[in-house]
Amino acid sequence: MMKRSKKAALVLMVPVATLLLAGCGEEREQAMVFTDPSECSAAALNSAAQCEADYAAAQALHPQVAPKYLNKQECEVDFGAGNCETAPQQTTSGGSVFMPMMMGYLAGQMMNRGGANLQQPAAAGAGAGTNVPTQPLYKSRDDRATFRTATNTPVAGGIGPISLKPSQVKPQVGQVVRRGGFGAQAASRNSFGG
């Protein structure tokens, strides 16, 4: 007879295993990382208008997905002094909420795929975007070289083309985190895009 705690552990493992298996067959797709739209335009992979649109989309998503902190000091411990700002959200008592500043963005839409370093995804036709969602990127205090999503997934060590599985970078609503929530995880990870 199996003990109750072992049954609970097995029940909890099933959804995790299902999620892991679901991502196994997923194709990696190309995307680009930039700090601003001028880098995107200079890369000549997208029109200037598309570069501005991707940047604006990432900026619009930033307050929704960025991790939130109840005080600025906790945010700066994870993201560095001067790298946090007041979020548009407030606590239920009307207090301020803080979030890291956007340090770059992941451009999932690459309309002009004339770049030599980019490969056309097999399922996408000419002029089609990828399934990689455009979103803001952040840098932790402990690892200033690595761009990370709001869920702390490392995606790139600098600007330029990357290859990743879209499910790994799906934006989620930002939650209030405590000190060590983002930064502690950042220090323990060292690979990009899985």
Side-chain angles (χ1 to χ4, degrees), residues 7-62:
K7 286 181 182 177
L10 288 174
V11 169
L12 293 174
M13 289 174 52
V14 171
V16 172
T18 303
L19 287 174
L20 291 174
L21 290 175
C24 289
E26 185 178 20
E27 295 281 328
R28 296 177 75 84
E29 294 189 20
Q30 300 274 319
M32 296 290 290
V33 172
F34 300 108
T35 58
D36 60 54
S38 66
E39 291 173 347
C40 174
S41 294
L45 298 170
N46 283 335
S47 67
Q50 183 63 51
C51 292
E52 290 290 340
D54 284 343
Y55 185 72
Q59 281 186 312
L61 196 59
H62 167 56

Side-chain angles (χ1 to χ4, degrees), residues 2 5 31 41 61 68 96 98 105 136 178 181:
M2 191 178 292
S5 62
S41 294
L61 196 59
K68 309 294 186 302
S96 295
F98 299 89
Y105 67 104
R178 307 296 282 164

Side-chain angles (χ1 to χ4, degrees), residues 53-126:
D54 284 343
Y55 185 72
Q59 281 186 312
L61 196 59
H62 167 56
Q64 299 172 43
V65 300
K68 309 294 186 302
Y69 293 82
L70 296 178
N71 67 64
K72 191 172 185 177
Q73 292 75 28
E74 286 186 357
C75 181
E76 288 183 338
V77 167
D78 281 350
F79 293 94
N83 293 322
C84 293
E85 60 189 343
T86 304
Q89 298 88 357
Q90 293 185 328
T91 63
T92 54
S93 61
S96 295
V97 176
F98 299 89
M99 62 185 184
M101 292 180 180
M102 186 173 122
M103 294 294 171
Y105 67 104
L106 180 64
Q109 299 293 321
M110 293 182 289
M111 302 302 281
N112 176 7
R113 294 180 178 271
N117 293 334
L118 296 176
Q119 297 174 355
Q120 182 80 19

